Amino acid sequence: MAGEAQPSDRHRQLQGKVLVLTVCAAGIGGTFQYGYNLTIINAPTSYIQAFINETWLERTGLPLERSKITLVWSFVVSVFPLGGLAGALLAGPMAIKLGRKKSLLLNNMFVILAALLVGFSRIAKSFEMIMLSRFFAGINSGVGMNIQPMYLGESAPKDFRGAVTLTSASFTALGLVLGQVVGLREILGAEEIWPLLLASNVVPGLIQLLLLPWAPESPRYLLIDRGDKESCICALQRLRGSHDLSSEMKEMLAEQAAVQGKTAKGPWELFWDPAVRWQLITILVLSSAMQLCGNDSASMYFYASYVFQEAGIPYDKIQYYIIGTGSCELITSMTCNLIIERAGRRMLVIGGYSLMAVWAMVFMVALSLQDRFSWMPYLSMACIFAYILSFGIGPAGVTGMIPTEIFDQMTRPAGYMICGSLLWTNLFLVGMAFPFIVEGLGHFCYLPFFTVCVCTALYVSFFLPETRGKSLLEISEEFNKRNFKTQTCENSWTNLEDTKSTML
């Protein structure tokens, strides 16, 4: 008996190692790049603006006006989300034609090109190369943010699907923190080496190119999209070990039968398909709220430096406190990984947005009373950390994994294209609009974000079913009950006879 147990333990250890390799290899070149590229641009802001002015002076013999330098700098910053939008739109076709794993590997071409452009920009005396670099870095981040959770969600076992997919948020937060750390003056944030700082995003891409080829392709993609049952079984054996795979294969074969004869849909087709009406509404609400809640954009960090300074923290030490805010999101996203399979998706999202609404109200009150009470800046500091912690505990991670669970194999890439497009568009719009919101509403600038948090929490509590521990077929059944209240959809997954014949 002991001799039989030993090989079983080895197989479980092997399964764990392959799954960990898949998660880490996908994450380091996927959502990690989004967080990293978002923060490494902050440290060299003044150096790049000086470089823009010097370059223009050498070309024309005239210095640029301060307003024009700011305008050029705004283009440098804004092309990143525009590149992200382009990447989100590319991600769907890439995932369908190349597969999830090959798409992530090919995606590193964009970040290598971005690193080369910015690395040689100062030698070439071209600030336009920095703009192009940020655009290609945005494409890389846009593709990675869509395909990584799709790949992990399709590769993970049902009981750990939430925890595995949620690592996408952990890698985003890790990228944010490491970007802030690497941007310190003591590391790569000095004036002489800012091109090296911006080109350092090539390192995660190279690590992924080394690790990801050893991970298997998504079993669901191999079986349902390509019809390759043998490769699917091989991938499952590598991910699960050698134990019985019959129940999981039955579930995937049932999914394959349900979409037999169908082709992958484009994002525009989802808007006219009644079979995905509530799935579409759900991702429109959740993906929009990710940016419009005021955390994942520049808005909370916009106030962080001001609040820390008002609390008496020396200016040269504020950068270390900013790292603390990013660390909060990293800690909560990792905590969320541990509790998501117990607490469920709905509870984490509802709880996260509800707490954010509370902290937004307290934060606005604290800002308005900042000059009256000496201890108010400390309350504002507490609100900043609490707001970020509340965002990280649920909305930051769960939002990215929801499309994997609520869409079927033929509509999932299109669903992620819509999610990514909304995320990047709203990031751009909030970044542009927030200064005007501050100017118009003053200390009550978080009122729109408070409204978004409350409305999102209410929507999820009334309309989003719990997906924890359910197969993708069962989740689809729940949505079809809403999509087809008074009629039966021909060939839908809720067809009683089909469901009975594919019960596990």
Side-chain angles (χ1 to χ4, degrees), residues 123-141:
I123 296 172
K125 297 180 179 179
S126 170
F127 56 81
E128 293 86 355
M129 289 173 69
I130 302 175
M131 291 184 191
L132 277 174
S133 170
R134 293 293 292 174
F135 182 75
F136 285 121
I139 293 177
N140 172 265
S141 298

Side-chain angles (χ1 to χ4, degrees), residues 109-366:
M109 172 187 71
F110 296 113
V111 79
I112 291 171
L113 184 56
L116 288 172
L117 283 166
V118 75
F120 290 102
S121 60
R122 188 157 63 179
I123 296 172
K125 297 180 179 179
S126 170
F127 56 81
E128 293 86 355
M129 289 173 69
I130 302 175
M131 291 184 191
L132 277 174
S133 170
R134 293 293 292 174
F135 182 75
F136 285 121
I139 293 177
N140 172 265
S141 298
V143 171
M145 286 190 72
N146 276 16
I147 295 182
Q148 181 193 337
M150 195 189 312
Y151 174 48
L152 296 180
E154 292 175 359
S155 301
K158 180 174 67 176
D159 294 338
F160 298 102
R161 188 175 59 225
V164 169
T165 310
L166 205 63
T167 57
S168 300
S170 299
F171 275 100
T172 299
L174 181 62
L176 283 167
V177 174
L178 285 185
Q180 291 168 340
V181 171
V182 172
L184 293 173
R185 288 183 289 273
E186 296 85 347
I187 304 179
L188 293 179
E191 184 173 3
E192 301 78 21
I193 53 175
W194 64 259
L196 188 59
L197 170 63
L198 296 185
S200 63
N201 58 6
V202 74
V203 176
L206 294 176
I207 292 173
Q208 185 178 72
L209 287 173
L210 288 173
L211 295 180
L212 193 57
W214 300 97
E217 176 59 275
S218 158
R220 276 184 164 78
Y221 172 78
L222 292 170
L223 178 66
I224 301 173
D225 288 71
R226 287 177 49 183
D228 191 342
K229 187 176 179 180
E230 290 184 10
S231 296
C232 171
I233 293 171
C234 181
L236 271 180
Q237 286 176 336
R238 290 184 64 194
L239 288 164
R240 310 285 187 266
S242 62
H243 66 269
D244 184 23
L245 302 172
S246 58
S247 61
E248 194 163 359
M249 280 302 299
K250 282 181 181 178
E251 181 186 321
M252 285 196 285
L253 287 169
E255 288 182 48
Q256 185 187 36
V259 297
Q260 193 75 37
K262 297 180 182 178
T263 57
K265 294 188 177 183
W268 54 90
E269 294 179 88
L270 300 191
F271 287 93
W272 307 108
D273 187 354
V276 294
R277 182 185 297 116
W278 279 102
Q279 292 96 314
L280 182 62
I281 293 171
T282 297
I283 64 165
L284 288 174
V285 171
L286 293 181
S287 297
S288 297
M290 271 283 285
Q291 298 295 350
L292 300 181
C293 70
N295 184 86
D296 216 33
S297 59
S299 46
M300 183 54 77
Y301 293 100
F302 174 91
Y303 265 114
S305 296
Y306 164 73
V307 169
F308 293 154
Q309 206 166 352
E310 288 294 311
I313 296 167
Y315 179 77
D316 60 337
K317 302 295 182 184
I318 287 176
Q319 58 179 337
Y320 303 106
Y321 285 82
I322 297 293
I323 292 173
T325 61
S327 300
C328 282
E329 193 168 329
L330 175 60
I331 292 167
T332 51
S333 63
M334 294 176 71
T335 304
C336 191
N337 272 294
L338 300 175
I339 65 173
I340 187 169
E341 296 300 347
R342 293 183 181 181
R345 284 64 157 156
R346 292 179 77 253
M347 182 59 66
L348 290 176
V349 176
I350 294 168
Y353 279 120
S354 299
L355 286 172
M356 288 169 72
V358 172
W359 298 124
M361 289 297 292
V362 177
F363 186 55
M364 287 187 288
V365 171

Side-chain angles (χ1 to χ4, degrees), residues 17 33 46 60 76 150 154 194 242 257 270 320 338 347 368 374 413 418 447-448 470 484 487:
K17 287 178 181 177
Q33 289 282 30
S46 58
T60 64
V76 172
M150 195 189 312
E154 292 175 359
W194 64 259
S242 62
L270 300 191
Y320 303 106
L338 300 175
M347 182 59 66
S368 63
S374 59
I418 294 171
L447 198 57
K470 297 176 182 176
F484 304 101
Q487 58 179 335

